[in-house]
Every structure is written in C-alpha cells, then in structure tokens.
Amino acid sequence: MEVEEQLTKLKELLNEIEDIKNAVNLLSWDQQTQMPPGGANDRGYQVSTLSGLAHQKFTSPEIGQLLQDLKPYSEQVDPDSNDARLIKVCSREFEKFSRVPTDLVAEIAQVTSEAYGVWEEARSESNFSKFQPYLAKIISLRRQYAECFPYDHIYDPLLDYYEPGLKTVEVQQIFKILRSKQVEIIQAIGESQQVDDSFLKQEFDENKQWEFGVKVISQFGYDWKRGRQDKSTHPFTIRLGHGDVRITTRVFPDNVTSALFSSTHECGHALYEQGIDPALNRTPLGEGASYALHESQSRLYENLISRSRDFWIHFYPKLQETFPAQLGNIDLETFYKGINRVQPSLVRVEADEATYNLHIMVRLEMEIALMEGSLEVADLPDAWNARMQDYLGVSPPDDRLGVLQDVHWSSGYFGYFPTYALGNLIASQIWERLKIDMPDLTSQIRSGQFGELREWLRLNIHQHGMKFDPQEIVERVTGSKVDPSAYLRYLEDKYTEIYAF
Ligand code: ZN
C-alpha cells in the first residue's frame, strides 16, 4: 500500500471508532438526563458492548500495522502537522492499551460496576466496612494495571492515564509548595473578621436562575447551535462531535449562585470542545488535551471570571433586577465578599477556592499510600480523618462526610483527583499570560465583553485539541511548566483584600 492509501485507511478506521465513542456519549448523556430508572440495566449492556467494540477496534492488529508502517512518513513531514501528530498520539495510545491484558480490563470493568452500587449503599449507611473489600480489590487490580508499565513510582502509570507525561514526583513537589502556603492563608483568614453570606440562602425562583445562567454563558460565547443545556444530578459536559457539545447544570431554589457557577464551569469545558479545529473531528485528536488542561478552562470561567469583582460589576445590577426582593438592598461589595466566603468544610465539591486544593491533597496522599502499600485499606478512614484535621482543621463526624463522599474510587479512578488541583494552577498561569496579551481584559469583562478572550483561548489552546501534550501546551502558552506560584499569587491578592489581613 502507498503511504497515501495507508493514511486514508487509518483515518477511516479511526473515524469509525470515534463514531462509536460518540454514540456511547449520547447514550451516557441520555442516561443522566432523560432515561427512566428502569433503563439502567439495558443501558449498562449497550454501553459496555459499544465501549468494548471501540476498544477492540482500536487495538486491532490492522491499526497496529498501519501505525508501524506510517512511522517513517510521520518522521518526514512537519512534526506539528495534523498527520504527524495523529500518528504520534495514536501510536502512544496503541502502545498503552496493548500493554494491558484484555481480561484485566474486563475484570476492572466488572468489579467497578459492582462496586459502584456497593459504594452508594455504604455511603448512605455511612458504613465503610461494607465498601472496604471492594476497595481492596480495586486497589489490587490498579496495582496489576500499573505493573503492565515501566515506572519510577507505582502511581506514575495511573497519573499518566489522565495526564500524559506527568510524574508522581512532580505532583508531590508542586503540592508540597502549595500545602504550606495554602494552610497559612486559611489560618490568616480564620483569624480575620468573617464575611456574611446569609443573604445568598434565600428563596430564588428556579426558572429565573436558569435564565440568568443562560444569559451569562451566551455572553461568554457558548454556541447554542452546537450545544444545549439540560438538568442532571451531577453537572457535566459531553462531546458528541464538533457540532454537538452539551452541558448540564442543577438548580437549587435556596442558593442563587450554585446553578450559575455550575453553568459557567461547564461552559468553560464546552468552549474548549467547541473551539477545537473541525479538521480534527472524528479522530482521537478531536478532544481536549488532558483532564487538567480541561479543568483549567472550566476553572478559568467559573472562578477567575465568574467569582471576580469585574464580572459582577457588569452582571450584579442584572442579578438585582432579576431578584429585587432578595438582593435589592445588598450592595455589590457585600455580594462579592459573600460569594467568596472561605469556610473550611468536609465536602470537596462544596469547597471554596482557598480550601479546595487541600481536599485534593488529602486524596492524593491516600491514593499514593494505598498504591505503595504503606497504608492498609482498613486504616483508611482514620488516616483520612487525621489529614482533614491537619490541613483543614475539621473532623468528619462519619464516613459519609469523610472517606466515602466521592464516587471516584468505586469507579477505579485512581490518579484522577490531582487533575482538579492542577487545573486550578494552570488556569492562574494562563490568566497571568492573558493579562499581558490583553491589557484591557479587565475593562472588557467589566463591560460584559468576552469575545476577544474566547478567541485568545481558541487560538492558543482550544483549536489544538489533543495534538500537543498538555505540558507542551502549558509551556508554549505560559512559558513555564505547571507551577503553583501564579495560583498562590492569585489567592493571596484576592483574599488579603477580601479579609483585610
Ligand atoms: Zn470540570
């Protein structure tokens, strides 16, 4: 076969696989937004059959052969071209997938699907011992998975799954710097005059909240012709192709900002997916580069923009018009401080910006210790509670609000949590760069203009999809690797002002 022919064949096969994956995504979107509860069983089979088919197709000898044959070609052409990058990324993924035996993949899928239900029960009963044997099994399977790869640290292959190229030792170094500084900031806040946010907890009409969020993300540039928003228990973004990137949110009548911040968070993810070069569509390059980079985009829109004073200078009068009885007498400063109130708490998903990363650090330390075998699963709840006390000064009264709160471990997602914290750091690094490239960014936000910002992100980050490694993109855009200093500067500036310390 000629090179041209081989390349066409490879793309055809990859297109088919992407079609299957996007169909799985549609099933999954439906499951979380529309499906009646009775559909769960059949849906489980459908998703598992199609996912298995996509995996089988991707690891086929035919794709392996084509990638091998095309390697010389990929080394001749421009290394940044779509073709060279497609071959490079697919070869890396092919190698990764081929190392893991199919029966191990199947066993992980089977154990985690059972463990999910057990975790749900254990959590509602606050009974860790019920979940314990499943978690022990999952950890043992994750160790077996890691052993399929060469590594410096046994946690490396797990981290690499979510954040290609990132090493355990790098994350540990970053977190070490973050930890002491963040604990210091939280202590200083604790000793300062506290902020009132009681006005946020009134009755706010759900439809009006929904419409307000729609207005905001429309102004951010979310493309409704290529997307839609629905309600779900856990907000998420899902890509069904270049022309269809959907988001969800949830609305609480007694909390005026929860739905809005969920919407702006998911909009950040969606703008990333909507901004990917259409030429990469239906190939493995047609999605975001990594979990951390994705999270940097959602955090940028949720925190750096939507929790900023500049944003509210534009939007607060509109929110007051929407809820005159509740907010008419609350001035902008009081509102701004209220939505940025810091309160060390037990639950990660409810954590504020200043304490959030500490929740992640607790999980990272636990995961590493469990994988290394230096922590026994039976001792996990005590270790967890002790760390929460150390870092956040709070002690979970039970396992439901402690070690059982997150779904991730029951799904076998070890290595996932750190990407949340890294996303925060990357968002701040990008933000510093943005302020240099767009000197009037502040005044644009104050006047509700987000077009130039979105174009900058599209040009520098979004359009590339998975063409470049996440670390490479961060370095190209910000001039340095993932680094905690920009984030710490941001936290310190913001909270010394709000809490006057
Ligand atoms: Zn997110």
Side-chain angles (χ1 to χ4, degrees):
M1 257 199 280
E2 293 294 315
V3 165
E4 201 64 22
E5 233 178 300
Q6 288 171 325
L7 200 53
T8 308
K9 184 69 200 162
L10 177 69
K11 286 178 186 169
E12 272 172 19
L13 293 171
L14 293 173
N15 287 164
E16 271 179 25
I17 296 165
E18 290 304 309
D19 294 344
I20 296 170
K21 285 195 195 162
N22 285 329
V24 171
N25 284 350
L26 179 57
L27 291 176
S28 164
W29 172 84
D30 175 75
Q31 184 166 19
Q32 295 176 74
T33 57
Q34 312 286 330
M35 191 186 77
N41 219 14
D42 289 326
R43 187 55 47 90
Y45 288 121
Q46 294 151 4
V47 167
S48 137
T49 299
L50 288 176
S51 304
L53 188 61
H55 185 265
Q56 192 188 328
K57 276 177 170 282
F58 186 71
T59 51
S60 70
E62 192 180 13
I63 289 206
Q65 191 62 50
L66 284 166
L67 289 170
Q68 205 180 322
D69 294 345
L70 284 164
K71 196 161 184 266
Y73 164 76
S74 74
E75 285 159 357
Q76 286 157 20
V77 294
D78 173 6
D80 283 356
S81 66
N82 289 353
D83 284 352
R85 289 286 171 161
L86 181 70
I87 293 163
K88 189 181 166 194
V89 170
C90 287
S91 302
R92 185 186 70 203
E93 295 298 299
F94 183 83
E95 213 254 343
K96 218 189 259 186
F97 284 131
S98 308
R99 278 177 178 274
V100 187
T102 316
D103 48 349
L104 179 58
V105 175
E107 199 180 354
I108 291 173
Q110 193 265 322
V111 171
T112 51
S113 90
E114 209 178 317
Y116 175 77
V118 177
W119 164 78
E120 269 193 320
E121 268 179 48
R123 188 178 70 152
S124 71
E125 296 165 16
S126 194
N127 177 5
F128 178 74
S129 60
K130 194 169 210 172
F131 181 51
Q132 190 183 316
Y134 287 85
L135 185 58
K137 182 73 191 157
I138 289 169
I139 288 161
S140 136
L141 290 169
R142 277 294 164 210
R143 281 213 197 99
Q144 289 177 45
Y145 172 88
E147 294 299 345
C148 300
F149 300 86
Y151 60 73
D152 298 323
H153 189 286
I154 190 163
Y155 192 66
D156 284 348
L158 302 174
L159 202 51
D160 189 84
Y161 183 84
Y162 299 102
E163 218 43 46
L166 195 68
K167 299 280 181 238
T168 307
V169 60
E170 293 174 278
V171 178
Q172 283 173 319
Q173 273 161 6
I174 291 170
F175 279 26
K176 198 174 164 206
I177 300 168
L178 271 181
R179 187 169 53 231
S180 55
K181 197 70 203 159
Q182 282 202 243
V183 169
E184 216 175 275
I185 293 174
I186 291 162
Q187 273 167 359
I189 290 173
E191 288 157 12
S192 310
Q193 166 93 41
Q194 292 308 294
V195 158
D196 175 30
D197 68 348
S198 53
F199 57 86
L200 294 174
K201 294 166 191 107
Q202 307 175 60
E203 179 89 20
F204 296 93
D205 179 81
E206 290 188 44
N207 290 332
K208 286 183 180 168
Q209 283 197 51
W210 174 274
E211 282 159 23
F212 189 81
V214 164
K215 215 180 285 171
V216 170
I217 62 175
S218 302
Q219 241 164 291
F220 283 170
Y222 180 72
D223 182 353
W224 294 97
K225 289 196 209 72
R226 297 191 293 134
R228 53 180 285 138
Q229 180 175 254
D230 294 84
K231 284 185 190 168
S232 68
T233 320
H234 303 287
F236 63 94
T237 301
I238 201 155
R239 178 192 175 92
L240 309 176
H242 179 73
D244 194 350
V245 179
R246 303 182 187 188
I247 58 176
T248 68
T249 192
R250 57 181 170 191
V251 188
F252 298 110
D254 58 349
N255 184 331
V256 71
T257 50
S258 173
L260 175 68
F261 291 148
S262 281
S263 286
T264 59
H265 179 101
E266 299 310 327
C267 177
H269 283 304
L271 290 176
Y272 192 171
E273 293 292 330
Q274 289 187 331
I276 294 172
D277 181 354
L280 305 175
N281 195 37
R282 291 180 78 218
T283 80
L285 301 185
E287 56 185 290
S290 75
Y291 286 75
L293 204 63
H294 235 298
E295 201 62 12
S296 79
Q297 299 308 290
S298 57
R299 302 284 166 145
L300 191 143
Y301 277 94
E302 180 197 346
N303 291 337
L304 291 149
I305 298 175
S306 308
R307 288 183 212 266
S308 74
R309 184 184 278 112
D310 297 329
F311 171 90
W312 287 108
I313 286 174
H314 178 75
F315 281 108
Y316 190 56
K318 292 168 182 62
L319 191 68
Q320 282 181 306
E321 271 168 40
T322 312
F323 299 110
Q326 296 90 330
L327 298 174
N329 292 324
I330 305 293
D331 66 20
L332 172 64
E333 277 310 298
T334 309
F335 179 80
Y336 169 68
K337 287 183 177 175
I339 60 167
N340 284 296
R341 177 168 184 249
V342 174
Q343 177 77 50
S345 64
L346 297 165
V347 179
R348 175 185 64 86
V349 295
E350 288 161 16
D352 53 72
E353 280 185 271
T355 57
Y356 187 87
N357 284 353
L358 295 169
H359 289 265
I360 299 302
M361 286 175 211
V362 172
R363 286 154 180 78
L364 177 74
E365 282 182 30
M366 299 296 120
E367 288 191 354
I368 290 178
L370 288 166
M371 285 299 289
E372 281 174 342
S374 56
L375 175 66
E376 292 298 325
V377 178
D379 300 328
L380 179 61
D382 285 345
W384 174 288
N385 297 345
R387 271 291 169 275
M388 288 298 289
Q389 185 61 45
D390 275 0
Y391 294 169
L392 286 143
V394 292
S395 276
D398 54 33
D399 293 334
R400 191 177 60 86
L401 291 168
V403 69
L404 288 174
Q405 65 182 262
D406 284 313
V407 61
H408 303 58
W409 290 342
S410 73
S411 309
Y413 295 170
F414 278 75
Y416 189 126
F417 282 122
T419 66
Y420 290 130
L422 296 171
N424 284 329
L425 309 191
I426 298 169
S428 290
Q429 287 178 273
I430 293 170
W431 195 247
E432 287 194 348
R433 181 76 238 171
L434 255 165
K435 285 197 285 193
I436 296 167
D437 286 5
M438 284 179 61
D440 63 340
L441 178 62
T442 302
S443 62
Q444 290 197 23
I445 294 175
R446 284 183 185 179
S447 54
Q449 291 165 30
F450 300 94
E452 199 182 326
L453 165 73
R454 195 195 63 230
E455 283 314 304
W456 188 97
L457 292 169
R458 179 172 291 177
L459 189 70
N460 289 286
I461 299 167
H462 301 169
Q463 62 160 337
H464 302 307
M466 216 192 256
K467 257 180 85 172
F468 306 116
D469 284 351
Q471 319 285 331
E472 200 179 342
I473 295 180
V474 173
E475 236 176 309
R476 280 180 187 219
V477 174
T478 71
S480 71
K481 293 184 129 194
V482 180
D483 177 285
S485 51
Y487 180 67
L488 288 171
R489 271 193 291 278
Y490 162 72
L491 279 188
E492 203 157 5
D493 286 355
K494 179 164 184 173
Y495 291 105
T496 46
E497 200 236 3
I498 293 177
Y499 281 91
F501 61 85

